[in-house]
Amino acid sequence: MPTPDDALIRRKDEHIDHVRAGRGLSGASSGLEAVRFVHDALPDLALDQIDLSARFLGRRLNLPFLISSMTGGPSRAEAINARLAEAAQALGVALAVGSQRVALETAGGSGGSGLGPDLRRRAPDALILANLGAVQFALGYGVDEARRAMEMIGADALILHLNPLQEGVQPEGDRDWRGVAQGIERIAAAFPGQVVVKETGAGLSAAVARRLADMGVAALDVAGAGGTNWGLIEGARATGGRAEALPPLRRLGCRRPAASATAPRPPRTWG
């Protein structure tokens, strides 16, 4: 008889299938096509001395680049996460893992997803970010689960992902978001300078970004429209793969340049 663990793992497995089939691609523009760099025809510098390195959350990066959260559920995610960790180490960039809920709640610790100590062994010098759904911190998760998620993979910080659109479309989704803000604030206070908040395909509005900054989170990932939209992935699951049956969802999302320009300035402790 299938268990709740089996259902959770199966759902994560289906996510990979729908992403590979191209059913999660946003129909909205990211807005990046409107960004233009001003060409400097008289640069007073040596091009070979340009340094793209940056410090973020206490780690040095070769360039300000994040391999963002992809998968953290089924056993075939192990190979995906292993390759991503190796890439992050080789390139000197940051890696954020997919949701670790399966790893926390299933027997065996990492849930067969590669989200265990091996990840840090493959990327000993990389900035690694753990990841849990923010809604879970209104449903019983607390400081212990946050700490376990980070310790599980030797992470430097923790992402709390916001996904009300995804959960609202998901047949098994969490529909009660009362208390999520208070949960984020508690975890940010417990892990100062280590909590990052992101969304899963629709982005963060300026108003939400300001609220999160006031809660004490260390950083915001403002990626929004134009990439993988997890609301569409759940829509594809709910409609038997017919993502075309959900045209309104394809156009949802905050454009990234607008979100970046209107987001509050980071505190001085960032980096």
Side-chain angles (χ1 to χ4, degrees):
M1 183 175 181
T3 67
D5 287 355
D6 294 333
L8 184 56
I9 293 171
R10 184 173 62 252
R11 181 166 78 242
K12 300 296 184 181
D13 210 29
E14 290 171 358
H15 287 166
I16 296 177
D17 290 335
H18 287 297
V19 169
R20 294 186 64 184
R23 298 188 182 111
L25 186 60
S26 172
S29 161
S30 69
L32 292 174
E33 74 281 359
V35 176
R36 296 289 183 272
F37 291 103
V38 176
H39 174 62
D40 186 351
L42 189 62
D44 187 18
L45 51 79
L47 300 184
D48 291 339
Q49 292 181 5
I50 294 175
D51 182 6
L52 296 178
S53 68
R55 287 192 65 80
F56 182 56
L57 299 175
R59 288 263 188 174
R60 181 186 179 278
L61 307 178
N62 285 347
L63 66 159
F65 188 92
L66 167 68
I67 302 173
S68 195
S69 312
M70 296 190 196
T71 182
S75 57
R76 61 176 167 157
E78 183 168 4
I80 297 172
N81 287 314
R83 298 298 174 264
L84 293 176
E86 291 167 357
Q89 175 67 20
L91 297 172
V93 300
L95 169 65
V97 302
S99 173
Q100 292 169 264
R101 183 180 170 194
V102 168
L104 287 183
E105 296 185 6
T106 57
S110 72
S113 59
L115 299 181
D118 183 62
L119 197 77
R120 176 52 81 186
R121 285 194 290 267
R122 291 177 183 272
D125 305 310
L127 169 65
I128 296 180
L129 294 92
N131 185 355
L132 290 171
V135 72
Q136 298 305 318
F137 291 88
L139 299 172
Y141 273 24
V143 171
D144 182 60
E145 284 79 9
R147 181 177 290 109
R148 285 172 54 203
M150 288 191 280
E151 291 178 349
M152 179 183 295
I153 57 175
D156 302 283
L158 171 68
I159 286 177
L160 299 180
H161 65 261
L162 297 170
N163 60 342
L165 175 61
Q166 178 184 359
E167 295 285 349
V169 178
Q170 183 185 112
E172 317 89 334
D174 295 307
R175 289 168 169 76
D176 190 346
W177 281 72
R178 292 172 298 179
V180 175
Q182 291 86 345
I184 293 173
E185 197 162 16
R186 285 194 298 271
I187 299 305
F191 301 94
Q194 291 181 282
V195 175
V196 179
V197 176
K198 64 167 287 181
E199 206 273 339
T200 63
L204 302 172
S205 67
V208 169
R210 282 191 289 269
R211 289 179 64 196
L212 291 166
D214 289 342
M215 292 175 200
V217 303
L220 304 175
D221 180 343
V222 297
T228 300
N229 184 323
W230 286 91
L232 284 176
I233 296 296
E234 294 297 353
R237 287 185 63 239
T239 59
R242 295 184 300 109
E244 67 276 6
L246 300 160
L249 294 185
R250 288 194 169 278
R251 305 297 301 175
L252 286 176
C254 302
R255 291 190 167 195
R256 300 182 197 193
S260 299
T262 56
R265 289 192 174 195
R268 292 182 181 179
T269 52
W270 288 12

